[in-house]
């Protein structure tokens, strides 16, 4: 296997008056994050989320999505922008809280958003391009490598039996996210092994299996392995998940980025073709442009067409909308030199302009399912393509995000969440659904340097 270094270096920052406006707003937001213990105390007072009768806390110290770990990404960006303002010291305080959790409780999760992979990304973000925290990174990397290689072997046995779960392969919990973090440390032989074996594992997922007498793609997820009870009822014969957070767009991004790092093995290229062809096929040409359903039911797959309501209540979110899925097909087009996929990915982004009058169906400024996430993915595509229309879309989305700032919020921006059956404004501190993620997008927009943190989104 041959490898070369691939980096997406182009970045088109915001300039002029808008840059000054962002800088002013960032000062107000980020001062709220100076004391990690105060942030934690505030978050512990926020009501938990209840779904399917399960209570889920909004804060977990070691979580990239909603804890100290994700806030470290913001501290790293602030340290780059304002190296004399002490944000590296604040970031160190956040890392100390994470270290105490690791020492006291251990980390029993490899994942990007709840486990060891996310912690390694946090430390990397604060390391000033690898010049700091090498001892901590080396210790955790050895732990990570051993655990990942064991897990990869176990998953392979299960997958070869047709026992595939979304949480094993996806971006949030699975090896798409874990494998992407391994790619940040390929100077280590152990990380190289994790990376290579993750590609081998996904080769199993990109195969086929027998289901009720039908030969189906192996990434079919059975009803019993859906995350939520309502999904189990909605998809009694299972489905094919397309989203970048929990669906096959995540593995497609990982495999495409692996190819763009120089891997030219034919199994990898075949797997990219297989996933890319599937995603490309299920695009919909709507009156508002190219969109994708988040999931394809088994019945729809058998019939070869979607039911009429499959794209109802569409949102331009990172997790299940056009920004994530179109980015995956665009990266796949780059990896295998498929001009049609490149055109589809770019056209889907340009079509987002047709939905800006309703903010792409989004109501909050946050990253996972808010305008902040859409803004950043448009910014990434704009920087990669220099397409002027994407620049205009970016600027309009930026104005929308800035208008959502609320000084009365604990952290500057509200997430919108269902509480007692109604959509409520909720204070969230973290990266994925909170103000830290919004501030990180804004801070990245005024920096001249291409940011590394969005490896967590699998879009680069």
């Amino acid at each position: 296997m041959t490898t070369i270094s691939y980096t997406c270096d182009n970045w088109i920052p915001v300039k002029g008056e808008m840059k000054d406006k962002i800088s002013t707003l960032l000062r107000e937001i980020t001062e709220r994050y100076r004391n990690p213990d105060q942030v934690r105390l505030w978050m512990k007072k926020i009501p938990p989320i209840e779904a399917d009768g399960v209570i889920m806390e909004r804060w977990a110290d070691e979580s990239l999505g909603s804890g100290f770990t994700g806030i470290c990404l913001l501290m790293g960006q602030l340290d780059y922008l304002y190296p004399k303002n002490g944000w590296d010291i604040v970031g160190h305080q956040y890392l100390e809280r994470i270290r105490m959790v690791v020492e006291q409780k251990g980390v029993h999760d490899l994942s990007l958003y709840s486990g060891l992979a996310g912690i390694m990304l946090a430390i990397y973000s604060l390391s000033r391009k690898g010049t700091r925290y090498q001892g901590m990174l080396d210790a955790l990397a050895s732990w990570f490598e051993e655990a990942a290689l064991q897990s990869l072997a176990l998953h392979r046995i299960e997958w070869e039996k047709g026992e595939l779960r979304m949480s094993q392969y996806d971006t949030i919990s699975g090896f798409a996210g874990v494998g992407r973090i391994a790619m940040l440390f390929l100077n280590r032989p152990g990380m190289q092994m994790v990376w290579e074996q993750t590609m081998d594992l996904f080769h199993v997922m990109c195969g086929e299996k027998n289901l009720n007498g039908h030969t189906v793609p192996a990434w079919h997820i059975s009803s019993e392995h859906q995350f939520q009870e309502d999904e189990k009822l909605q998809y009694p014969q299972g489905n094919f998940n397309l989203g970048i957070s929990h669906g096959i767009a995540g593995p497609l991004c990982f495999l495409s980025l692996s190819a763009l790092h120089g891997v030219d093995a034919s199994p990898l290229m075949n797997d990219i073709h297989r996933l890319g062809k599937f995603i490309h096929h299920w695009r919909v040409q709507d009156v508002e442009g190219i969109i994708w359903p988040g999931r394809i039911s088994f019945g729809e797959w058998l019939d070869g067409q979607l039911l009429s309501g499959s794209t109802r209540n569409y949102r331009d979110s990172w997790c299940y909308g056009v920004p994530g899925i179109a980015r995956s097909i665009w990266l796949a087009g780059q990896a295998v030199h498929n001009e049609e996929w490149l055109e589809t990915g770019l056209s889907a982004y340009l079509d987002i302009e047709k939905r800006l009058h309703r903010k792409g169906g989004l109501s909050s400024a946050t990253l996972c399912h808010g305008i902040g996430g859409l803004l950043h993915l448009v910014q990434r595509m704009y920087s990669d393509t220099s397409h002027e229309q994407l620049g205009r879309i970016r600027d309009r989305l930026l104005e929308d995000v800035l208008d959502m700032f609320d000084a009365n919020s604990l952290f500057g921006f509200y997430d919108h969440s269902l509480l007692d059956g109604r959509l409520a404004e909720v204070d969230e501190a973290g990266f994925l659904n909170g103000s830290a993620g919004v501030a990180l997008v804004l801070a990245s927009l005024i920096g001249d340097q291409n940011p590394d943190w969005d490896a967590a989104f699998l879009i680069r």
Side-chain angles (χ1 to χ4, degrees):
M1 183 176 70
T2 61
T3 61
I4 58 174
S5 176
Y6 167 78
T7 53
C8 176
D9 286 331
N10 197 38
W11 189 250
I12 307 176
V14 170
K15 300 288 188 180
E17 182 180 342
M18 190 60 75
K19 178 178 180 180
D20 295 338
K21 188 174 182 178
I22 292 174
S23 299
T24 300
L25 185 59
L26 274 178
R27 284 194 291 271
E28 182 164 353
I29 296 171
T30 54
E31 287 302 317
R32 304 167 192 229
Y33 286 89
R34 285 278 185 185
N35 185 333
D37 294 324
Q38 182 64 64
V39 170
R40 186 181 190 274
L41 181 63
W42 280 336
M43 279 304 302
K44 287 296 184 179
K45 295 179 180 179
I46 305 299
I49 304 169
E50 182 174 351
D52 293 331
V54 178
I55 302 296
M56 295 177 287
E57 296 295 331
R58 294 180 183 272
W59 177 267
D61 291 342
E62 70 279 15
S63 167
L64 183 76
S66 57
F68 291 135
T69 305
I71 296 173
C72 286
L73 306 187
L74 173 60
M75 297 300 117
Q77 184 65 22
L78 293 175
D79 180 43
Y80 157 67
L81 287 176
Y82 313 111
K84 297 181 180 180
N85 289 9
W87 290 111
D88 57 336
I89 297 172
V90 178
H92 180 74
Q93 293 172 0
Y94 277 91
L95 279 185
E96 278 295 295
R97 305 306 186 275
I98 299 168
R99 182 186 61 79
M100 288 189 286
V101 171
V102 172
E103 290 181 353
Q104 293 170 8
K105 301 180 181 178
V107 178
H108 307 287
D109 188 333
L110 266 174
S111 75
L112 176 52
Y113 276 83
S114 298
L116 194 53
I119 292 172
M120 292 187 63
L121 177 61
I123 301 169
Y124 178 83
S125 297
L126 287 165
S127 70
R128 291 192 174 179
K129 299 295 183 181
T131 62
R132 295 180 172 182
Y133 299 116
Q134 282 307 298
M136 183 183 291
L137 278 172
D138 285 341
L140 288 178
S142 297
W143 185 6
F144 175 94
E145 290 160 356
E146 181 180 1
L149 291 171
Q150 290 178 356
S151 185
L152 283 161
L154 291 173
H155 284 357
R156 187 179 185 93
I157 294 171
E158 293 175 349
W159 291 13
E160 288 176 344
K161 295 178 180 177
E163 300 171 1
L164 175 72
R165 298 172 185 257
M166 285 181 283
S167 60
Q168 295 172 332
Y169 74 72
D170 70 10
T171 297
I172 299 293
S173 302
F175 266 94
V178 171
R180 179 64 187 92
I181 299 309
M183 291 171 66
L184 297 176
F185 304 97
L186 292 179
N187 59 312
R188 295 178 57 93
M191 288 295 185
Q192 183 89 15
M193 288 181 62
V194 172
W195 179 38
E196 292 172 1
Q197 291 189 25
T198 301
M199 285 184 275
D200 290 341
L201 180 68
F202 282 140
H203 185 61
V204 177
M205 189 193 78
C206 291
E208 296 178 331
K209 66 179 181 181
N210 183 277
L211 180 65
N212 300 328
H214 298 280
T215 300
V216 305
W219 58 86
H220 169 270
I221 302 297
S222 66
S223 174
E224 64 183 299
H225 290 155
Q226 300 299 313
F227 285 136
Q228 298 181 353
E229 290 302 319
D230 62 344
E231 293 172 341
K232 294 177 182 180
L233 296 174
Q234 184 179 357
Y235 301 104
Q237 295 178 289
N239 64 23
F240 304 89
N241 194 307
L242 298 188
I244 197 171
S245 57
H246 295 301
I248 60 170
L252 180 57
C253 285
F254 166 76
L255 295 174
S256 299
L257 291 169
S258 296
L260 291 168
H261 270 74
V263 182
D264 59 359
S266 58
L268 173 66
M269 296 302 175
N270 291 336
D271 292 342
I272 293 171
H273 276 288
R274 192 164 170 77
L275 290 178
K277 183 179 179 181
F278 188 91
I279 290 176
H280 192 258
H281 170 78
W282 288 103
R283 71 195 186 282
V284 175
Q285 185 63 55
D286 189 76
V287 293
E288 290 186 329
I290 298 172
I291 60 176
W292 279 268
R295 302 164 184 83
I296 310 296
S297 73
F298 181 70
E300 288 172 324
W301 178 81
L302 277 179
D303 293 340
Q305 62 182 7
L306 296 172
L307 296 175
S308 59
S310 294
T311 54
R312 191 178 300 145
N313 302 321
Y314 177 81
R315 298 189 299 177
D316 279 316
S317 62
W318 166 74
C319 50
Y320 275 98
V322 159
I325 299 174
R327 180 68 179 182
S328 77
I329 204 69
W330 190 84
L331 285 172
Q334 292 282 355
V336 300
H337 308 293
N338 186 311
E339 292 295 330
E340 185 181 11
W341 293 358
L342 289 170
E343 183 178 346
T344 295
L346 177 58
S347 295
Y349 266 84
L350 297 177
D351 287 341
I352 289 171
E353 188 168 34
K354 300 174 184 177
R355 305 186 287 272
L356 287 182
H357 65 282
R358 56 183 180 85
K359 298 180 174 62
L362 308 170
S363 62
S364 70
T366 55
L367 299 195
C368 182
H369 46 262
I371 299 174
L374 174 58
L375 168 61
H376 184 73
L377 270 77
V378 168
Q379 163 66 9
R380 176 58 71 189
M381 283 292 288
Y382 174 43
S383 295
D384 284 346
T385 65
S386 300
H387 198 292
E388 292 184 0
Q389 184 179 341
L390 290 177
R392 294 194 298 271
I393 295 171
R394 178 199 71 175
D395 293 345
R396 284 183 60 183
L397 290 169
L398 174 56
E399 290 177 359
D400 287 337
V401 169
L402 294 176
D403 288 343
M404 289 180 170
F405 172 75
D406 191 327
N408 294 318
S409 166
L410 285 176
F411 306 105
F413 292 93
Y414 291 111
D415 187 29
H416 291 167
S417 181
L418 280 175
L419 293 177
D420 299 324
R422 62 182 179 84
L423 196 64
E425 293 182 332
V426 179
D427 283 301
E428 288 264 10
F431 165 73
L432 196 58
N433 295 313
S435 294
V438 185
L440 181 53
V441 168
L442 296 176
S444 300
L445 281 171
I446 61 174
D448 292 330
Q449 188 180 72
N450 180 32
D452 291 327
W453 63 264
D454 59 353
F457 273 0
L458 262 75
I459 61 172
R460 66 172 302 275

